[in-house]
Amino acid sequence: MISTFNLASVYVANVIGAFLLIILMATNVWRLRERSEENRCLMVMMVLAFTNCLIDPVSYSLDGHPGALNRFLVTFGNAWLYIALMMAAEFWVHFVEVHLNGSISKRHLWTLKAFVIVGAALMVVNFFVPIVFEVDANNVYHRKSLFFYYVAVDYLFMMDSLVSYLHSKYRGGSLKFFPIWVYILPVFAGGVAQTLFYGVSVSYVSLAVAVAGVLASLQNERIFRDSLTGLYNRAYLDYLLKKYSRRKKNLVSGIMLDLNDFKRINDEFGHAVGDEALINAASILKKVVGELGLVIRYAGDEFIIFVNSQDDAVIEDVMNRARTALRKFNEVSGAVYVLSAAMGSCKLDFSEMRVDAFINEIDRRMYEEKRDYYAENISMDRRKR
């Protein structure tokens, strides 16, 4: 039987993909040890891509070779490849939502999972009635009609991530940036090549290249990230304000937020607990702001929220939701400390104010609320100690 594929090229592509993923895992151990939702998604994607780079050449090697064991390996190997690629696409969408907006809604998450569950169910049926692919009497693999379900789901998930990104960009304006094309372009190109030309095996090395692009982009972002909370840092604030200062008109507002009585948390419970409080506050604020803007750790226990709106109702809603989220944390967390914050807002208008005037204004308005807080809790006023 004449092969419809070049086995050497299959091995070369997948070996390159596997080695690339090994290098990525080895050079990103420091990142992957951080138990964040983003890192979990990236780790799952890398593991899935790596296993596919190992299983794919085995499936090709055994294709057309007689024997019950070979038939079993070809069948289960190809079944895994279908499901794993779909799962990798699911975790990519999950990553995009969390990275840009702080979280993914349960409805969105379970919609993704529903497609994966259907795909898994179809694969179970395929073991008995070939509807996705068939391994014939000669142990040769053939695509069947429902092969295109998995192709469609992979591209649907890719489009989902792109829509989520564009929606986030629209809601967050130029506050939001992430080069989503570093993932979409290689995965799209590899998927098209493998769908149109049977025997071409580039999907999994394309996924490895895409993950490498994502990790490189995240590494570049670390310049602008606070190492403790993962929020944007003072360097990004300077970059952002310089960019806005060159524009005549900006539809952006800033909210200065300062944690109440944070010094007492450090003094009574230690800096480790203080760091935990900052991390929890950062996580809460990031989820509250979501796609509307971003959160910056300004200094110590001070944060600046940028909102892509100058609508008073939107600004007030963000502040109220932040207060509510902090209050709910106190009710359910069981932490030894209580989180609350003073806030002050100001619309960004560099036609009438300079950068330092904008910062001073949101700081002044925040301290007006801070004074009210300490007036009610005078024994805790750190400025009286």
Side-chain angles (χ1 to χ4, degrees):
M1 183 185 300
I2 299 174
S3 297
T4 57
F5 54 86
N6 185 317
L7 191 57
S9 67
V10 170
Y11 268 87
V12 168
N14 283 286
V15 167
I16 290 173
F19 272 107
L20 175 58
L21 288 161
I22 290 172
I23 292 170
L24 290 175
M25 291 181 195
T27 55
N28 286 273
V29 170
W30 54 273
R31 176 195 300 281
L32 300 175
R33 283 177 178 171
E34 299 173 4
R35 296 182 179 179
S36 67
E37 201 169 355
E38 286 184 24
N39 288 343
R40 182 174 66 86
C41 292
L42 290 173
M43 190 64 193
V44 171
M45 289 168 61
M46 283 192 282
V47 170
L48 291 171
F50 182 75
T51 57
N52 283 9
C53 286
L54 298 182
I55 293 173
D56 192 48
V58 173
S59 297
Y60 272 103
S61 297
L62 299 178
D63 191 79
H65 289 259
L69 178 60
N70 290 338
R71 182 180 184 82
F72 173 85
L73 293 174
V74 170
T75 301
F76 279 86
N78 279 286
W80 169 257
L81 293 172
Y82 277 97
I83 295 173
L85 196 58
M86 189 168 50
M87 289 175 61
E90 175 205 341
F91 277 95
W92 161 247
V93 179
H94 192 157
F95 166 82
V96 170
E97 285 284 356
V98 173
H99 184 70
L100 290 177
N101 303 319
S103 64
I104 182 171
S105 70
K106 289 184 178 180
R107 176 181 296 180
H108 193 177
L109 181 60
W110 280 105
T111 301
L112 298 175
K113 289 187 179 299
F115 281 102
V116 175
I117 291 169
V118 170
L122 290 175
M123 199 56 67
V124 171
V125 174
N126 190 76
F127 290 140
F128 304 97
V129 181
I131 54 177
V132 180
F133 68 87
E134 178 184 16
V135 179
D136 65 20
N138 296 315
N139 286 351
V140 176
Y141 165 91
H142 302 280
R143 294 172 179 170
K144 304 294 282 186
S145 58
L146 283 182
F147 155 81
F148 288 101
Y149 172 83
Y150 299 85
V151 175
V153 169
D154 291 340
Y155 286 115
L156 179 64
F157 284 4
M158 191 185 303
M159 290 302 299
D160 185 349
S161 69
L162 182 58
V163 169
S164 293
Y165 171 77
L166 293 175
H167 185 256
S168 181
K169 283 280 290 184
Y170 173 75
R171 296 293 301 275
S174 56
L175 295 169
K176 295 286 187 180
F177 77 96
F178 179 75
I180 196 171
W181 58 267
V182 299
Y183 178 91
I184 286 182
L185 287 185
V187 169
F188 178 78
V192 168
Q194 189 146 328
T195 301
L196 296 180
F197 305 103
Y198 176 73
V200 172
S201 178
V202 292
S203 284
Y204 316 118
V205 69
S206 298
L207 180 56
V209 170
V211 172
V214 171
L215 288 171
S217 299
L218 293 177
Q219 178 63 27
N220 291 336
E221 274 194 14
R222 288 187 73 86
I223 300 170
F224 294 128
R225 293 284 183 176
D226 174 58
S227 60
L228 177 65
T229 63
L231 298 177
Y232 289 104
N233 59 18
R234 187 74 172 265
Y236 186 69
L237 174 66
D238 293 340
Y239 159 78
L240 198 62
L241 291 177
K242 285 178 182 177
K243 181 172 69 172
Y244 280 129
S245 66
R246 294 192 293 268
R247 299 181 180 180
K248 293 182 179 179
K249 188 175 182 180
N250 299 288
L251 298 177
V252 176
S253 302
I255 301 169
M256 176 76 81
L257 183 147
D258 184 89
L259 296 182
N260 291 323
D261 206 33
F262 182 72
K263 183 177 183 298
R264 190 174 70 86
I265 296 176
N266 276 331
D267 290 346
E268 291 191 9
F269 306 112
H271 288 280
V273 175
D275 287 347
E276 177 192 305
L278 288 172
I279 293 169
N280 283 326
S283 177
I284 291 166
L285 295 177
K286 188 175 180 181
K287 290 179 180 178
V288 164
V289 175
E291 61 191 15
L292 286 175
L294 54 83
V295 187
I296 293 172
R297 186 183 179 195
Y298 181 60
D301 60 327
E302 291 183 324
F303 303 88
I304 294 179
I305 297 173
F306 277 99
V307 181
N308 189 47
S309 174
Q310 292 195 340
D311 187 320
D312 291 331
V314 173
I315 299 167
E316 189 64 28
D317 180 60
V318 170
M319 296 170 71
N320 287 337
R321 286 194 288 116
R323 293 187 182 97
T324 299
L326 291 171
R327 186 170 62 252
K328 286 183 177 179
F329 171 85
N330 296 330
E331 293 171 355
V332 303
S333 69
V336 295
Y337 51 84
V338 173
L339 290 180
S340 67
M343 305 180 200
S345 65
C346 179
K347 297 172 185 177
L348 186 61
D349 185 359
F350 285 142
S351 65
E352 297 182 0
M353 65 174 65
R354 297 180 303 175
V355 170
D356 55 348
F358 168 73
I359 296 295
N360 289 339
E361 183 61 19
I362 56 176
D363 185 66
R364 182 187 67 78
R365 295 184 183 184
M366 180 274 293
Y367 269 105
E368 287 179 359
E369 187 170 304
K370 178 74 73 174
R371 281 193 296 270
D372 293 339
Y373 171 82
Y374 283 125
E376 298 176 4
N377 302 272
I378 192 167
S379 63
M380 298 186 292
D381 189 342
R382 62 189 177 191
R383 290 166 296 175
K384 294 182 180 294
R385 294 184 179 186

